[in-house]
Amino acid sequence: MIEKLEKIFNLLQKNSVFFISDPSDIFYLTKFTGTFAKILITNKKAYFITDKRYEGEIKNLNDNFEIIITKNFKKDLNFLIKNYKKILLSKKTLLSEYLLLKNKKIFFNEILNELRMIKSKEEIEKIKKAIEIAEKGFLHILKYIKENITEKDIALEFEYFIKKNEADGLSFDSIIAFGSNSAVPHHRTDDTKLKKNTLILIDAGVKYKAYCSDLTRVVGFGIMGSYFAEVKKYYEILRNARNFSLKFYKNGEFAQKPDRKARIFLKKYNLDNVFLHSLGHGIGIDIHEPPFINSREKIKFNNGMVLTCEPGIYFDQKFGLRLEDDYLINNEKPEKLSKLDENLIIL
Ligand SMILES: [Mn+2]
């Protein structure tokens, strides 16, 4: 914790103070998970502000922070910042908080994003465990899938299983999409019943000790005939696009490059216009965190970043395909952290 704080101390001049309020940033610095906490950091001191409810559980923060149990946050905040001219904020700061600080000179600073993007060994281990549990969950629900079951049944079974198997919970609401529902990238899992000759898209992840995993597979349930042939053909193209884009998941490369390359690849098959979202994103404490692998991202990859690669193609009213795994940037070739069989799953 102290090394992280020192990086922030070093950034600050005498007349400036850093205000931190994003819950994931606060967790990153302190492991605190309550609903109310703010951190203020000057060039030599850090304050942890919370309320009476959490007094008992934050005693371990005493070494690095001056703890302030507040009854009137606005008043205490004003008092603490009264001698500082400049305030540094992340762009994630809420508007209501920004308004409390706006009489100072405001500077945006994304050092917490920069620190959080590079995962420590310990963080990578937690993500690996989150992936492992999710993979067990995927294998479990494959056994559970049968005719007339609903999307929600599968989602609930997955959630029950992963919670019984060491996960804190889901990293997001699982997407279970039958047939034409899979053509909607962020389909809301519903009561649709499973029939034979249906494609199933499963996008799910879990949290383990606060760290997220994110995986997608497609399953053909009693799939046959020309439908099967079409699905198989497009799945191979998608996987090849994925393989091509992964060549650019390397230390020092621009994060936007693999997204652009995937689009160039898909264009050869006239599929670039049905690739409806960005190629990937960082995972960590948040399920979507920097860097974002889209055509606008300015950041370069660095060793230690953990990212998804998830190209998808969507045929409106028909079906959609997505293949998603999690990777660690490691010099020239990313390390694939997920081990789940990436072939089209046939049941
Ligand atoms: Mn994802």
Side-chain angles (χ1 to χ4, degrees), residues 172 203 214-216 280-281 283 287-288 308 310 322 324 326:
F172 56 92
D203 182 351
D214 194 0
L215 296 167
T216 307
H281 52 87
I283 54 173
I287 182 63
H288 297 122
T308 69
E310 50 177 306
R322 180 161 71 251
E324 177 178 32
D326 304 330

Side-chain angles (χ1 to χ4, degrees), residues 124 128 242-253 258 279 293 301-309 325-339 342:
I124 292 167
K128 279 185 177 169
R242 196 281 311 265
N243 291 341
F244 182 60
S245 64
L246 276 179
K247 292 192 166 83
F248 306 92
Y249 274 56
K250 55 184 186 186
N251 189 34
E253 184 59 89
L279 184 70
I293 306 177
F301 289 135
N302 256 302
N303 287 338
M305 289 180 173
V306 179
L307 308 143
T308 69
C309 181
D325 284 283
D326 304 330
Y327 298 86
L328 169 67
I329 297 291
N330 184 8
N331 298 318
E332 287 297 297
K333 199 174 178 293
E335 182 187 336
K336 191 179 188 198
L337 300 181
S338 36
K339 308 272 182 278
E342 57 176 59

Side-chain angles (χ1 to χ4, degrees), residues 133-192:
I133 299 168
E135 291 178 328
K136 280 189 194 152
F138 270 71
L139 294 176
H140 173 74
I141 55 177
L142 290 182
K143 290 184 287 187
Y144 179 83
I145 291 172
K146 56 182 182 295
E147 215 173 340
N148 288 323
I149 201 170
T150 69
E151 293 176 353
K152 274 187 195 164
D153 289 330
I154 297 175
L156 286 168
E157 184 65 25
F158 179 79
E159 184 170 357
Y160 182 79
F161 179 89
I162 58 102
K163 283 187 176 166
K164 280 274 198 181
N165 283 278
E166 294 181 83
D168 310 344
L170 300 170
S171 46
F172 56 92
D173 284 342
S174 306
I175 300 170
I176 313 290
F178 293 165
S180 61
N181 290 343
S182 63
V184 180
H186 279 119
H187 169 67
R188 279 190 83 85
T189 302
D190 65 21
D191 294 312
T192 305

